[in-house]
């Protein structure tokens, strides 16, 4: 049980918060760019700085979920991972300063969609944390092996 | 407004154009009859109109007259009066739905003629003679009063009344008929009309004539319109007889009849009737009369000089909606731009929308306030700029204020328009000295040319200059003024490039003049024996960037070998024909290494503009190198297989032009327009600095930029849309300047009107840019199909406008204004950048052509797409001295084997010798070896009259456009394959390989249109 809590609280929770934050930051920069509060050079370099870490982090989380057998989490993050892989393979993952305005709207929409995905992920993670925590503190150990759905029903 | 430029033609024009607005004026003229008018106002309206137009023009200067009339007439007056440009929009609504549309359409000019014409026709119809006079005469005679008087009297009877109703009645019919009418005006179907209409005439007859001009569109159908059309020059040449039937509508479109080939069922067009742009580019003049204060079309052209009023209307316009801007276009000899300085005050601009002061701004409140024409905000006039208004409401100092009378002016920008002190002109030369460059003789010519231009570089004495050369290492030259000899510094560490001497690599030309000259003298010999085959282009670029980043400026790259060392190294690609037609095809036209895009972005950021001169006979990846020019407002010059003996002259001229033409440094450009419309995409060589700000590190007269606009609001309520292009730049003299071009165009509610005011040149320019951009993400085939599809959609929509009233079977119809669009579309699909596939154009040439077409101003682009073909032998033999001005259609049929022809696309001349050309001509022009193969022959002047005559002709053609130097290629009939690729593939009207000929293309389009 402790391992579960560790997994959710120490690995998934911070990473999904981080993903959410970077994406939010990118959306913010893109909005600033459109409103002309920032020049395209700075905007591109700031956004590009975060892109690879984000891709790696997201990919790692996805793989971790797969190997630890958290199927639901894995399936939830799979679309985003696929999207990232596709962008990376096409070499379109970085913002292109010279054409940034041409794809501005599309870029922002994709990021907003990602933001929503990450938000869902975070909510799910928080739920698991609560579930895992509650199973430790409020329930007897005999419930431990039960399926999580039982736990939730217990609430 | 009235205050501002009452005197201006523009002012009067506006009001006049409105059917109603005009009325007032007429009234005024008649002032004597005044009472009558006053009493009758309502019924009167229509009648009044007739004279108006003219009256307006006549009185143009007289602001006052307008007023008196106005009150009697309509609610509009106040509006009109104040603001000519935006006049009557509101008022009309009640009476005249038509008004809005109408007024837009017809510029004053038409009137004069129109007025006259109608009368005659009218006469027959209108029973009462007096009326006719009134209608007809006013126009022709300055003194409207006379006609009027009779008229007025008439007014009381039914007729006078009828007009009024007419106004109201008319609208209903309009919707359906509208399209047809506008055009028709000229139509003069008088005879039919009369007969058919007799009954109605009573009502219509009288009023229309006068009205007609303003109204054409609506009432149009009837008689009135006739006059107008003619002036507009819309005459349909090919138009068949009016099919309209009862109404006797005339056509305002052109049409071609599909015939059937004798003996078969294949339809075809008579190729001799197809329209051809043999006069080259014709700048649109439609709005000259309506908005005489607009900037000249050489600076700004819209694809249609009529902005659609609603999104739904815009979506029916399938052609691009946008503008082509050439901010620094060269004015003709002797025409100077006015430079205005507001010092010590700042530049006068609208507080809210930042529009610069322009002729369409109106001054009110005794000159203390001005109303912005773009956002209608009332601004305070800065105290330094204050001037009283005279009785007519215009500023008393109007004649000393070019910014209030001209569409194009330059403002001297004060310090708040600078982020740093204005930079001096900077020229940096990066020259390839590897073995192939040495062998081609390029270095020699470049050095000589630069040396000869030193005196003419702009910006003396502040001009700065620097040089670097590269092969497998990078060489810098210390040209400090205290040295007698330049000092060469070699950097061989390509992985970690550094600049050996931070200063003194870029030196002031006037101080170091002698060192620079010594360097240029010795440069060719310095590398004479260089056997290095490598090219460290990428590292050299980085090093040069370090040198230039302090100041910015212009970087000229002379590149002869595919970059092979260090960052940015490129590999041979594009020789695989299998890639064509697959999804990977477009990748060939994109930069291979992201390094080039990054560098371009950095260059743009530090105000460096890059011109690439490429000379290789092998693949040099123009797609990658051209990227440097693309984002830095530069240009690509490509001389495939450069040999100094052959191409030297071309390089010399073009480099010279590049170095000496007027250049604007560290520039940014923005185009503003009124609310409701927004420019969304931009096409050309520049980098976007924010959503609507084009960064142009260096820009000159040979560069044009295109942009597309979209409607943001579903409905535009204004009558006029204003566009203002502002280019903020540092002039070579070190002054910061703002060049402002202002243009007003009408907002229309009618699709037919948009077609009527369409500008083929601008549309083709945007088309070609869109198509070339498309080739960067899709297949060539797709880009060509897209062009064709757009033309088809546009024509289909146009056809739908007329299909109801006309029997159009077997006929292809198109607007007069777009009659060349189909041919240019075909030429575009067959241009170097878009034609065929793998075998049809070498990849480098294709990319270079694409880069070139992205910057070409409209005129030059049209010439490139449809070059001129002229027969020379008759001129040289003095048989027919006029023949040299006669352009021929680009088809094999026009090539007589006894003739000598010149093909001129603005970039090169091709002299075609027919097989049967008289030996005398050949000998005189080519010298003794006239029978030899022409691929080796060069054209030089021989000592005879004919040869000198030819040289004069060539010189004359070259002088017509100095941006590029046209090298003369000689080719003899039947000399394959040279004749094929030099000339025959370029005869766009002929069918060639898989390409369509002109008549096939038209047939294809007409079939798709009718589907």
């Amino acid at each position: 049980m402790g391992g579960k809590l560790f997994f959710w609280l120490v690995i998934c929770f911070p990473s999904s918060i981080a993903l959410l934050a970077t994406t939010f930051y990118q959306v913010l920069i893109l909005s600033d760019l459109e409103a002309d509060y920032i020049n395209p050079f700075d905007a591109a370099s700031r956004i590009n700085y975060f892109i690879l870490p984000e891709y790696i982090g997201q990919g790692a989380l996805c793989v971790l979920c797969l190997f630890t057998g958290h199927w639901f989490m894995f399936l939830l993050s799979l679309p985003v991972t696929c999207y990232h892989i596709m962008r990376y393979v096409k070499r379109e993952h970085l913002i292109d300063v010279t054409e940034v305005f041409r794809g501005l709207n599309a870029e922002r929409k994709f990021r907003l969609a990602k933001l929503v995905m990450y938000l869902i992920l975070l909510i799910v993670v928080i739920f698991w944390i609560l579930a895992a925590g509650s199973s430790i503190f409020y329930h007897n150990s005999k419930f431990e092996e039960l399926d999580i759905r039982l736990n939730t029903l217990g609430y | 407004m009235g205050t501002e430029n009452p005197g201006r033609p523009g002012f009067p024009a506006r009001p006049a154009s409105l059917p109603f607005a005009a009325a007032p004026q007429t009234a005024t003229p008649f002032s004597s009859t005044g009472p009558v008018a006053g009493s009758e106002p309502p019924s009167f309206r229509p009648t009044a109109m007739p004279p108006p137009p003219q009256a307006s023009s006549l009185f143009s200067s007289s602001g006052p007259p307008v007023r008196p009339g106005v009150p009697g007439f309509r609610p509009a007056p106040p509006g009109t009066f104040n603001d000519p440009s935006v006049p009557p929009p509101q008022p009309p609504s009640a009476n005249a739905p038509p008004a809005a549309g109408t007024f837009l359409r017809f510029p004053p000019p038409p009137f004069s003629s129109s007025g006259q014409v109608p009368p005659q026709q009218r006469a027959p119809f209108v029973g009462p003679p007096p009326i006719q006079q009134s209608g007809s005469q006013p126009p022709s005679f300055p003194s409207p009063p006379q006609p009027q008087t009779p008229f007025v009297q008439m007014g009381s009877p039914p007729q006078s009344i009828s007009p009024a109703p007419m106004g109201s009645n008319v609208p209903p019919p309009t919707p359906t008929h509208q399209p047809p009418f506008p055009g028709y005006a000229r139509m003069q179907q008088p005879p039919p009309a009369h007969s058919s209409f007799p009954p109605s005439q009573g009502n219509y007859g009288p009023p229309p004539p006068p009205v007609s001009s303003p109204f054409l569109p609506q009432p149009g159908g009837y008689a009135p319109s006739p006059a107008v059309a003619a002036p507009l020059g819309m005459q349909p040449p090919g138009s068949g007889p009016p099919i309209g039937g009862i109404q006797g509508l005339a056509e305002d479109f052109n049409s071609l009849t599909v015939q059937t080939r004798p003996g078969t069922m294949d339809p075809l067009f008579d190729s001799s009737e197809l329209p051809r742009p043999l006069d080259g580019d014709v700048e649109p003049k439609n709005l000259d009369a309506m908005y005489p204060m607009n900037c000249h079309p050489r600076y700004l052209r819209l694809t249609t000089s009529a902005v659609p009023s609603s999104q739904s209307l815009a979506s029916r316009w399938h052609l691009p909606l946008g503008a082509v801007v050439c901010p620094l276009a060269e004015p003709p000899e002797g025409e100077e731009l006015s430079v205005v300085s507001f010092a010590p005050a700042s530049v006068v601009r609208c507080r809210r929308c930042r529009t610069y002061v322009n002729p369409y701004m109106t001054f009110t409140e005794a000159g203390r306030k001005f109303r912005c024409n773009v956002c209608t905000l009332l601004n305070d006039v800065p105290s330094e700029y204050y001037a009283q208004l005279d009785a007519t409401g215009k500023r008393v100092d109007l004649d000393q204020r070019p910014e209030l009378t001209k569409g194009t002016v330059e403002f001297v920008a004060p310090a708040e328009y600078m982020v740093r002190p204005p930079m001096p002109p900077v020229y940096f030369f990066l020259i390839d000295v590897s073995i192939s460059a040495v062998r081609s003789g390029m270095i020699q010519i470049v050095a000589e040319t630069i040396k000869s231009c030193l005196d003419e570089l702009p910006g003396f004495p502040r001009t700065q200059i620097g040089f670097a050369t590269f092969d497998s290492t990078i060489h810098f030259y210390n040209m400090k003024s205290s040295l007698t000899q330049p000092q060469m510094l070699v950097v061989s560490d390509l992985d970690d490039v550094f600049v050996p001497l931070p200063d003194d690599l870029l030196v002031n030309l006037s101080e170091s003049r002698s060192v620079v000259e010594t360097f240029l003298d010795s440069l060719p010999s310095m590398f004479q024996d260089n056997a290095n085959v490598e090219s460290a282009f990428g590292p050299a670029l980085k090093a040069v960037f370090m040198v230039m980043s302090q100041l910015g400026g212009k970087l000229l790259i002379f590149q002869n070998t595919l970059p092979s060392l260090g960052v940015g190294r490129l590999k041979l690609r594009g020789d695989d024909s299998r890639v064509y037609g697959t999804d990977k095809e477009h990748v060939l036209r994109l930069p291979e290494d992201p390094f080039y895009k990054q560098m371009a972005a950095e260059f743009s950021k530090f105000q460096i503009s890059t011109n690439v001169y490429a000379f290789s006979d092998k693949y040099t990846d123009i797609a990658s190198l051209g990227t440097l020019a693309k984002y830095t407002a530069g240009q690509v010059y490509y001389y495939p297989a450069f040999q100094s003996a052959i191409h030297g002259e071309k390089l010399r001229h073009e480099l010279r032009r590049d170095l000496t033409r007027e250049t604007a440094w560290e520039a940014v450009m923005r185009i503003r327009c009124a609310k409701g419309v927004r420019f969304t995409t931009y096409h050309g060589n520049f980098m976007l600095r924010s959503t609507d700000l084009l960064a142009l590190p260096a820009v000159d007269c040979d560069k044009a930029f295109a942009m597309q606009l979209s409607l943001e609001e579903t409905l535009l309520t204004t009558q006029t849309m204003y566009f203002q292009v502002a280019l903020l730049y540092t002039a070579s003299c070190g002054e910061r300047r703002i060049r402002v071009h202002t243009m007003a165009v009408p907002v229309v509610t009618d699709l037919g009107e948009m077609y009527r005011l369409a500008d083929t040149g601008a549309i083709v320019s945007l088309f070609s840019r869109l198509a070339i951009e498309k080739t960067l993400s899709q297949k060539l085939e797709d880009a060509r199909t897209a062009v064709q599809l757009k033309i088809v959609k546009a024509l289909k929509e146009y056809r739908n406008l007329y299909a109801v009233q006309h029997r159009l079977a077997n006929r292809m119809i198109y607007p007069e204004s777009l009659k060349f669009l189909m041919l240019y579309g075909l030429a575009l699909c067959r241009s170097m950048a878009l034609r065929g596939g793998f075998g049809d154009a070498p990849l480098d040439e294709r990319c270079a052509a694409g880069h070139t077409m992205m910057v070409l101003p409209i005129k030059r682009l049209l010439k490139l797409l449809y070059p001129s073909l002229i027969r020379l032998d008759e001129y040289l033999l003095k048989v027919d001295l006029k023949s040299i001005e006669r352009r021929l259609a680009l088809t094999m049929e026009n090539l007589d084997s006894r003739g000598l022809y010149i093909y001129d696309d603005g970039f090169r001349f091709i002299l075609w010798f027919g097989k049967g050309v008289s030996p005398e001509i050949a000998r005189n022009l080519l010298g003794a070896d006239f029978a030899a193969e022409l691929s080796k022959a060069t054209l030089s002047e021989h000592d005879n009259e004919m040869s000198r005559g030819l040289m004069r002709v060539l010189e004359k053609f070259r002088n017509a456009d100095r941006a590029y130097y046209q090298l003369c290629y000689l080719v003899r009939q039947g000399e394959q394959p040279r004749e094929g690729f030099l000339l025959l593939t370029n005869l766009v009207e002929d069918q060639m390989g898989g390409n369509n000929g002109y008549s096939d293309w038209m047939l294809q389009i007409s079939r798709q249109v009718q589907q």
Side-chain angles (χ1 to χ4, degrees):
Chain A
M1 200 64 231
K4 235 174 196 177
L5 186 64
F6 178 84
F7 174 76
W8 293 117
L9 192 62
V10 180
I11 299 179
C12 292
F13 185 67
S15 50
S16 52
I17 292 270
L19 289 176
L20 199 67
T22 54
T23 311
F24 185 70
Y25 178 72
Q26 292 175 22
V27 172
L28 213 62
I29 298 247
L30 288 177
S31 306
D32 277 2
L33 181 62
E34 193 173 26
D36 204 10
Y37 293 135
I38 186 172
N39 71 52
F41 307 102
D42 293 348
S45 64
R46 286 189 199 179
I47 292 178
N48 289 344
Y49 180 80
F50 283 105
I51 284 184
L52 267 193
E54 184 203 330
Y55 280 22
I56 292 170
Q58 204 275 340
L61 189 66
C62 182
V63 172
L64 194 67
C65 290
L66 173 65
F67 286 125
T68 52
H70 296 89
W71 296 103
F72 185 65
M73 280 288 287
F74 169 70
L75 291 176
L76 203 59
S77 53
L78 191 62
V80 180
T81 316
C82 290
Y83 170 70
H84 284 171
I85 291 175
M86 183 195 83
R87 294 282 299 239
Y88 188 80
V89 169
K90 282 199 194 166
R91 296 272 138 198
E92 285 171 1
H93 57 295
L94 295 181
I95 295 271
D96 177 1
V97 199
T98 52
E99 300 287 352
V100 57
F101 289 102
R102 197 160 291 203
L104 193 60
N105 269 330
E107 291 282 345
R108 210 179 33 202
K109 271 182 206 138
F110 279 127
R111 282 181 170 73
L112 281 175
K114 250 180 0 183
L115 201 63
V116 173
M117 294 294 284
Y118 287 151
L119 202 64
I120 295 174
L121 206 66
L122 181 68
I123 291 170
V124 173
V125 167
I126 290 176
F127 176 76
W128 288 117
I129 289 171
L130 292 180
S134 63
S135 66
I136 287 178
F137 293 112
Y138 298 101
H139 292 269
N140 294 330
S141 55
K142 62 179 174 180
F143 286 100
E144 272 179 23
E145 288 82 22
L146 288 184
D147 185 50
I148 187 65
R149 270 167 300 175
L150 285 184
N151 274 331
T152 59
L153 288 176
Y155 266 111
Chain B
M1 278 299 252
T3 50
E4 183 188 357
N5 342 334
R8 248 115 275 308
F11 174 19
R14 246 10 195 25
S17 55
L18 304 185
F20 298 134
Q25 295 182 347
T26 35
T28 42
F30 312 124
S31 52
S32 57
T33 55
V36 183
S39 61
E40 288 198 332
S43 53
F44 212 68
R45 252 180 239 135
T47 43
M49 330 262 255
Q54 296 194 347
S56 65
S57 54
L58 300 174
F59 302 118
S60 56
S61 54
S62 64
V66 177
R67 253 194 201 151
V70 177
F73 267 104
R74 29 147 63 206
T80 14
F81 182 62
N82 297 341
D83 187 345
S85 61
V86 191
Q90 317 80 346
S93 60
N95 305 343
T102 342
F103 101 96
L104 303 173
R105 319 203 157 150
F106 301 98
F111 310 66
S112 53
S113 54
S114 65
Q116 299 170 349
V117 179
Q120 296 155 359
Q121 299 176 345
R122 211 29 53 119
F125 312 42
V126 182
I131 297 180
Q132 298 169 358
Q133 292 178 353
S134 65
S136 62
Q137 292 190 353
S140 50
F141 300 94
S143 59
Q146 301 172 350
Q148 200 64 357
T149 10
F151 184 94
V152 175
Q153 292 160 353
M154 306 284 308
S156 55
Q159 291 180 353
S160 65
I161 296 174
S162 57
M166 229 227 144
S168 52
N169 299 340
V170 178
T174 323
T176 38
H177 295 294
Q178 234 169 358
F181 297 148
Y184 297 0
R186 56 320 227 2
M187 15 239 3
Q188 333 297 1
Q189 347 107 342
H194 304 305
S195 55
S196 57
F197 282 129
S200 56
Q201 279 182 6
N203 307 334
Y204 295 136
V211 179
S212 64
S213 42
F215 277 135
L216 290 188
Q218 325 74 355
Y222 319 172
S225 30
V228 181
L232 295 178
M234 303 273 299
Q235 226 53 308
S239 62
I243 309 197
I246 323 173
Q247 299 215 340
L249 298 175
E251 300 178 14
D252 102 291
F253 47 80
N254 280 343
S255 70
L256 286 171
T257 306
V258 183
Q259 304 159 337
T260 306
R261 189 172 286 150
T264 66
M265 289 305 284
D266 299 343
L268 81 169
F269 286 110
D270 180 351
S271 68
S272 62
E273 279 179 11
L274 296 171
R276 296 181 175 91
L278 298 182
D279 297 327
D281 178 32
V282 180
E283 288 171 342
K285 295 268 178 257
N286 295 328
L287 297 179
D288 278 9
M290 199 156 151
Y291 302 105
M293 290 174 295
N294 273 358
C295 63
H296 193 277
R298 69 174 158 264
Y299 301 116
L300 171 60
R301 280 169 76 168
L302 297 172
T303 54
T304 171
S305 306
V307 174
S309 65
S310 64
Q311 278 178 344
S312 61
L313 183 57
S315 65
R316 290 169 64 202
W317 169 257
H318 297 283
L319 297 167
L321 188 58
V324 180
V325 181
C326 186
L328 291 170
E330 284 177 302
E333 293 282 320
E335 204 181 303
E336 284 282 308
L337 277 187
S338 350
V339 179
V340 178
S341 173
F342 291 104
S346 186
V347 179
V348 180
R349 303 174 73 172
C350 171
R351 186 153 42 89
R352 181 165 66 192
C353 65
R354 310 302 290 152
T355 301
Y356 293 88
V357 63
N358 64 64
Y360 297 104
M361 291 202 162
T362 44
F363 287 80
T364 54
E365 300 192 15
R368 274 174 285 120
K369 303 235 170 179
F370 69 91
R371 186 176 293 282
C372 171
N373 54 324
V374 172
C375 69
T376 68
L377 180 74
L378 206 55
N379 291 272
D380 292 330
V381 175
S383 55
E384 298 89 342
Y385 195 66
Y386 171 79
Q388 285 185 323
L389 303 186
D390 66 11
T392 58
K394 58 181 174 180
R395 283 172 64 112
V396 290
D397 63 349
L398 197 62
D399 46 346
Q400 289 127 44
R401 294 286 186 189
E403 73 274 18
L404 296 181
T405 56
K406 291 190 183 153
T408 298
V409 280
E410 278 205 347
F411 297 132
V412 177
E416 64 251 40
Y417 289 85
M418 305 173 195
V419 284
R420 59 173 185 176
M423 61 179 274
V426 174
Y427 290 92
F428 201 97
F429 300 88
L430 178 61
I431 305 171
D432 185 351
V433 291
S434 61
I435 184 166
S436 58
V438 176
R439 284 208 188 130
S440 69
M442 173 271 281
I443 300 177
Q444 172 90 27
I445 294 195
V446 168
E448 283 169 11
T449 311
I450 297 174
K451 192 179 169 205
S452 72
C453 290
L454 287 181
D455 280 326
E456 294 164 62
L457 289 183
F460 175 85
R462 301 161 71 235
T463 315
Q464 302 214 15
I465 197 167
F467 294 88
T469 55
F470 65 97
D471 43 26
S472 61
T473 55
I474 307 162
H475 324 122
F476 287 100
Y477 301 89
N478 177 0
M479 296 198 277
K480 206 168 165 180
S481 55
S482 54
L483 298 172
T484 53
Q485 284 274 321
Q487 225 173 37
M488 182 164 155
L489 308 155
V490 178
V491 177
S492 52
D493 182 359
L494 301 182
D495 295 329
D496 184 19
V497 188
F498 64 98
V499 177
L501 198 67
D503 313 316
D504 300 330
L505 295 179
L506 198 56
V507 294
N508 184 301
L509 177 61
S510 49
E511 286 168 12
S512 303
R513 178 66 184 263
S514 62
V515 192
V516 171
E517 282 185 358
T518 323
F519 167 74
L520 289 170
D521 285 337
S522 57
L523 178 64
S525 55
M526 236 188 295
F527 294 99
Q528 220 164 19
D529 305 320
N530 194 354
N532 203 321
V533 294
E534 301 287 349
S535 163
F537 179 67
L541 211 55
K542 280 178 100 174
V544 169
F545 171 67
M546 288 181 224
V547 178
M548 294 187 76
S549 56
Q550 288 297 316
L551 279 174
K554 206 157 162 168
L555 170 63
L556 292 92
I557 297 169
F558 300 88
Q559 150 77 29
N560 213 321
T561 313
L562 191 68
S564 59
L565 295 176
V567 285
R569 86 182 74 87
L570 300 168
K571 51 182 191 281
L572 284 171
R573 51 175 188 163
D575 47 0
D576 183 2
S577 62
R578 282 167 303 174
V579 178
Y580 282 81
T582 68
D583 291 341
K584 294 262 179 242
E585 180 192 318
H586 69 273
V587 178
L588 289 176
R589 294 183 284 271
L590 286 174
E592 185 190 341
D593 190 329
F595 168 77
Y596 290 95
K597 266 196 167 180
Q598 287 159 15
M599 281 314 284
E602 290 291 301
F603 279 149
S604 176
K605 187 176 175 183
F606 290 92
Q607 307 291 357
I608 301 167
S609 169
T610 319
N611 281 3
V612 178
Y613 291 77
F615 302 94
S616 178
D617 50 347
K618 297 194 218 67
Y619 179 71
T620 50
D621 207 342
I622 299 287
S624 297
L625 299 179
T627 313
L628 292 171
K630 179 173 179 186
Y631 296 107
T632 61
Q635 216 171 329
V636 176
Y637 297 87
Y638 181 46
Y639 308 84
F642 182 85
Q643 283 303 320
S644 59
I646 303 168
H647 308 96
E649 201 55 23
K650 185 172 170 69
L651 172 60
R652 217 169 267 144
H653 273 82
E654 290 174 2
L655 178 55
R656 177 174 203 91
R657 165 101 181 169
D658 190 7
L659 293 177
T660 56
R661 65 190 162 190
E662 187 194 333
T663 303
W665 307 88
E666 46 179 356
V668 287
M669 185 172 89
R670 180 172 264 147
I671 178 163
R672 291 185 170 82
C673 49
K675 205 165 144 266
V677 170
R678 202 164 66 94
F679 282 96
T680 44
T681 59
Y682 298 81
H683 312 274
N685 285 7
F686 55 79
M687 206 175 118
L688 277 176
R689 205 46 213 285
S690 69
T691 40
D692 61 345
L693 187 68
L694 276 55
L696 310 167
V699 59
D700 50 64
C701 53
D702 297 329
K703 307 223 167 66
F705 308 91
M707 45 215 75
Q708 289 192 87
L709 54 82
S710 64
L711 266 64
E712 284 198 310
E713 283 172 17
T714 43
L715 217 55
L716 294 181
T717 49
T718 50
Q719 298 291 308
T720 309
M721 179 59 62
Y722 299 92
F723 296 98
Q724 189 172 69
V725 179
L727 178 81
L728 171 64
Y729 70 96
T730 301
S732 296
C733 61
E735 202 169 40
R736 198 85 171 130
R737 297 235 180 116
I738 308 165
R739 181 172 291 205
V740 177
H741 305 293
T742 312
M743 180 173 266
V745 297
V747 176
V748 300
T749 52
D750 170 22
L751 190 61
E753 199 58 15
M754 290 179 70
Y755 278 110
R756 195 178 67 74
L757 292 172
D759 176 357
T760 307
I763 292 173
V764 172
S765 178
L766 253 166
F767 259 164
S768 59
R769 287 163 196 251
L770 291 171
I772 290 167
E773 279 177 6
K774 199 160 196 150
T775 64
L776 300 181
S777 58
Q778 292 176 32
K779 286 179 281 194
L780 292 170
E781 185 63 47
D782 295 344
R784 289 192 296 260
T785 321
V787 170
Q788 188 176 356
L789 198 67
K790 272 185 220 153
I791 295 178
V792 167
K793 271 190 179 166
L795 292 181
K796 201 180 240 175
E797 193 71 48
Y798 187 75
R799 189 184 176 86
N800 290 342
L801 283 181
Y802 294 91
V804 184
Q805 297 99 342
H806 298 70
R807 276 176 284 120
L808 293 172
N810 282 335
R811 290 200 318 148
M812 172 169 181
I813 68 165
Y814 48 88
E816 166 75 13
S817 59
L818 296 180
K819 62 182 171 185
F820 302 135
L821 182 66
M822 291 74 78
L823 179 54
Y824 280 126
L826 171 64
L828 177 62
C829 291
R830 293 185 61 173
S831 66
M832 184 67 91
L834 291 178
R835 73 166 62 137
F838 173 73
D840 295 282
L843 181 57
D844 269 344
E845 282 187 48
R846 192 190 290 279
C847 291
H851 281 293
T852 305
M853 286 166 74
M854 289 297 282
V855 295
L856 282 187
I858 295 175
K859 200 177 196 110
R860 236 165 264 151
L861 176 72
L862 295 189
K863 180 143 188 217
L864 175 64
L865 290 180
Y866 197 83
S868 57
L869 181 69
I870 292 168
R871 182 162 187 169
L872 281 182
D873 56 320
E874 290 172 350
Y875 172 82
L876 294 175
L877 291 170
K878 314 270 185 223
V879 179
D880 181 2
L881 291 179
K882 282 271 171 211
S883 66
I884 195 170
E885 284 150 26
R886 204 181 306 132
R887 284 179 64 172
L888 303 169
L890 286 177
T891 159
M892 218 25 214
E893 290 161 24
N894 279 337
L895 295 175
D896 179 350
S897 66
R898 286 161 304 177
L900 166 67
Y901 293 84
I902 185 168
Y903 165 95
D904 168 17
D905 65 5
F907 290 78
R908 58 185 175 172
F909 293 144
I910 292 165
L911 271 184
W912 185 86
F913 289 80
K915 268 189 183 135
V917 72
S918 90
E920 182 202 355
I921 294 184
R923 186 180 305 116
N924 282 340
L925 297 182
L926 302 173
D929 55 347
F930 67 90
E933 206 188 322
L934 289 182
S935 59
K936 303 277 189 301
T938 52
L939 199 63
S940 54
E941 190 169 324
H942 293 276
D943 188 23
N944 58 63
E945 197 43 49
M946 198 178 285
S947 178
R948 278 190 291 270
L950 177 64
M951 289 302 167
R952 273 198 304 275
V953 172
L954 297 186
E955 199 50 38
K956 191 181 138 210
F957 287 157
R958 281 180 187 137
N959 282 338
D961 182 0
R962 311 199 119 273
Y964 291 90
Y965 181 84
Q966 295 86 1
L967 214 55
C968 207
Y969 295 86
L970 310 176
V971 67
R972 183 168 281 142
Q973 183 178 12
E975 187 186 337
Q976 295 295 355
R978 250 169 76 81
E979 187 192 20
F981 71 81
L982 275 181
L983 187 61
L984 299 187
T985 46
N986 295 321
L987 297 177
V988 294
E989 292 191 19
D990 286 340
Q991 188 165 349
M992 194 52 181
N995 292 315
N996 287 316
Y998 190 14
S999 51
D1000 294 335
W1001 167 265
M1002 290 293 266
L1003 203 60
Q1004 235 180 51
I1005 289 186
S1006 84
R1007 261 198 215 119
Q1008 293 179 25
V1009 166
Q1010 292 178 38
Q1011 264 168 14

